[in-house]
Amino acid sequence: MPSSVDTRSGFALVPVRRRDARRLVESGPPRGVVLPLKHGGQDDPRYPSPHSFRFGVGFTVDLVLHLACAVAAVVVVSRVDTLPFAVILLAGPATFIAVSVAHRIFVQHAIHTTLGKALTGVRYIRDDSGGPPTLGSLTKAWFTGVLVGIANVLSGF
């Protein structure tokens, strides 16, 4: 299960099913069950629904969305005859990064999920309180994801 730890505040982001988080807010925790200190762990009865596959599909949808925006930007920019080739080459990566940051940090902070996670019914929560992620924790998760992605690509060579 992917998670991102924010060491300054001592909590991690963990993915859970949205319906479990909503049920917890509406009905409270299950009665008569000893609850773990951290939210969203494998043995946490507050979030019983499986979500790993959904999280993977949601991540893939988000990635395809970011790539589609980058390809669209390259197509639009390539139609301008006066632009240098370097600008056309940089349009794709710059758009991908801008859309990824906006979507995975700012949109997710505002509505507590991304498009891909919303379509699959998954969201991130803080493991210390079960609440929504902070802007700082989402930013750290984005940078961590980028570094892990780069490391995975480089380890393949």
Side-chain angles (χ1 to χ4, degrees):
M1 170 188 326
S3 69
S4 175
V5 176
D6 187 340
T7 55
R8 289 180 312 209
S9 55
F11 66 87
L13 297 181
V14 292
V16 297
R17 289 282 302 270
R18 228 179 7 184
R19 72 176 182 186
D20 291 341
R22 187 173 39 245
R23 184 180 325 127
L24 184 61
V25 169
E26 293 170 357
S27 306
R31 295 174 194 228
V33 177
V34 177
L35 300 175
L37 292 176
K38 299 286 187 177
H39 287 255
Q42 294 226 215
D43 60 344
D44 192 344
R46 294 171 287 205
Y47 309 96
S49 303
H51 58 271
S52 297
F53 179 73
R54 289 172 178 270
F55 184 82
V57 172
F59 176 82
T60 303
V61 169
D62 291 338
L63 182 64
V64 169
L65 172 68
H66 302 165
L67 287 171
C69 291
V71 169
V74 169
V75 168
V76 168
V77 169
S78 68
R79 292 184 178 172
V80 178
D81 295 331
T82 59
L83 288 177
F85 185 67
V87 171
I88 296 170
L89 282 179
L90 290 175
T95 301
F96 179 85
I97 291 169
V99 169
S100 180
V101 165
H103 187 228
R104 290 191 51 217
I105 296 174
F106 298 109
V107 169
Q108 190 165 206
H109 183 258
I111 62 173
H112 305 156
T113 191
T114 61
L115 178 64
K117 290 184 193 103
L119 290 173
T120 59
V122 179
R123 62 170 286 192
Y124 270 136
I125 62 165
R126 295 171 48 153
D127 74 344
D128 64 341
S129 65
T134 62
L135 192 59
S137 64
L138 290 170
T139 303
K140 185 173 179 108
W142 185 86
F143 276 111
T144 302
V146 168
L147 293 175
V148 167
I150 291 170
N152 284 337
V153 168
L154 293 178
S155 69
F157 290 115

